[in-house]
Amino acid sequence: AQRVTQPEKLLSVFKGAPVELKCNYSYSGSPELFWYVQYSRQRLQLLLRHISRESIKGFTADLNKGETSFHLKKPFAQEEDSAMYYCALSAPNYNDMRFGAGTRLTVKP
Amino acid sequence: DAGITQSPRHKVTETGTPVTLRCHQTENHRYMYWYRQDPGHGLRLIHYSYGVKDTDKGEVSDGYSVSRSKTEDFLLTLESATSSQTSVYFCAISERPPYEQYFGPGTRLTVT
């Protein structure tokens, strides 16, 4: 069964510091992986998906099939990056998307 | 934001009463989903629909039922609300898996 693990519930960094939010998954095939972000009092929105290989708001994520990981990184965190981040997995033969428990990132001034 | 609305946005109800939440989309997407969001659990799928009158259970479907009589509307019913169903409920839509999902604004439900 597909499963997504985000080992850190809370992560706190200072402004300008690098940040990495970890995501590990279990799935035997070729999954589609996503990062969603939820800012305070807003709906979830897509941050990026691995297939597009683009950088959004300075964030990047690399799919490592050997380690079954899809960690989200940003070299210099900003205060406006403070939010809840969810890693999610979908697959062509599944109708649903599986989410991790989420990591709350706080960027301190 | 994608054309997704949820109603009501907030609701307080008593244990044992039935509750229906509505999700409405204007994107004509085939797939619709209901999730609940709880601290420490992230988003968990309750039910989803892959077409009009076509629905299936998700991870946490006990105590919930759904209906989809039109492409644009997906209803979630708590048949007899319990305090454990106090949560924030999100609707999402998708053209088809594994495409991205677009989320509604959420409904905060409190069962007293």
Side-chain angles (χ1 to χ4, degrees):
Chain A
Q2 52 186 344
R3 189 181 186 90
V4 178
T5 302
Q6 294 178 250
E8 304 136 330
K9 291 185 179 179
L10 303 170
L11 185 60
S12 181
V13 300
F14 284 102
K15 177 183 174 181
V19 62
E20 180 180 51
L21 291 84
K22 292 183 168 52
C23 173
N24 293 92
Y25 68 90
S26 61
Y27 181 70
S28 57
S30 296
E32 294 278 346
L33 285 150
F34 305 82
W35 276 99
Y36 282 83
V37 61
Q38 186 180 27
Y39 300 104
S40 179
R41 298 190 193 87
Q42 294 187 26
R43 65 182 74 192
L44 277 85
Q45 55 187 282
L46 181 69
L47 182 61
L48 54 82
R49 58 186 298 183
H50 90 273
I51 198 169
S52 63
R53 296 186 180 276
E54 57 186 340
S55 172
I56 304 294
K57 299 184 179 182
F59 284 97
T60 59
D62 289 320
L63 177 60
N64 186 322
K65 291 187 176 181
E67 295 183 359
T68 60
S69 67
F70 188 56
H71 302 328
L72 183 69
K73 301 177 184 179
K74 186 170 183 177
F76 308 103
Q78 303 299 314
E79 289 182 67
E80 55 264 31
D81 295 328
S82 295
M84 193 75 173
Y85 291 81
Y86 291 98
C87 182
L89 178 153
S90 186
N93 56 328
Y94 285 104
N95 282 328
D96 63 336
M97 184 176 288
R98 217 36 90 88
F99 285 81
T103 297
R104 182 169 297 282
L105 173 65
T106 301
V107 181
K108 297 180 284 189
Chain B
D1 293 332
I4 312 168
T5 57
Q6 293 183 230
S7 58
R9 295 292 313 280
H10 302 272
K11 187 169 182 67
V12 180
T13 192
E14 293 184 350
T15 299
T17 59
V19 176
T20 295
L21 309 182
R22 180 179 182 242
C23 177
H24 179 78
Q25 61 148 327
T26 58
E27 305 297 320
N28 202 36
H29 283 356
R30 179 181 174 191
Y31 287 79
M32 298 185 76
Y33 307 83
W34 276 108
Y35 293 91
R36 59 177 291 173
Q37 182 185 43
D38 303 289
H41 293 279
L43 277 83
R44 292 180 292 175
L45 182 67
I46 304 170
H47 283 279
Y48 67 94
S49 169
Y50 47 98
V52 174
K53 296 193 188 325
D54 292 322
T55 65
D56 205 350
K57 296 179 180 180
E59 184 183 357
V60 290
S61 59
D62 286 348
Y64 301 95
S65 63
V66 290
S67 65
R68 191 167 177 202
S69 59
K70 298 185 290 185
T71 298
E72 56 266 35
D73 289 325
F74 192 33
L75 304 180
L76 176 71
T77 298
L78 288 65
E79 291 134 13
S80 178
T82 67
S83 58
S84 65
Q85 293 176 312
T86 292
S87 186
V88 180
Y89 291 85
F90 285 98
C91 174
I93 65 173
S94 174
E95 288 186 63
R96 63 178 173 87
Y99 290 3
E100 70 173 281
Q101 294 183 11
Y102 300 92
F103 283 82
T107 294
R108 185 173 296 276
L109 176 68
T110 303
V111 184
T112 61

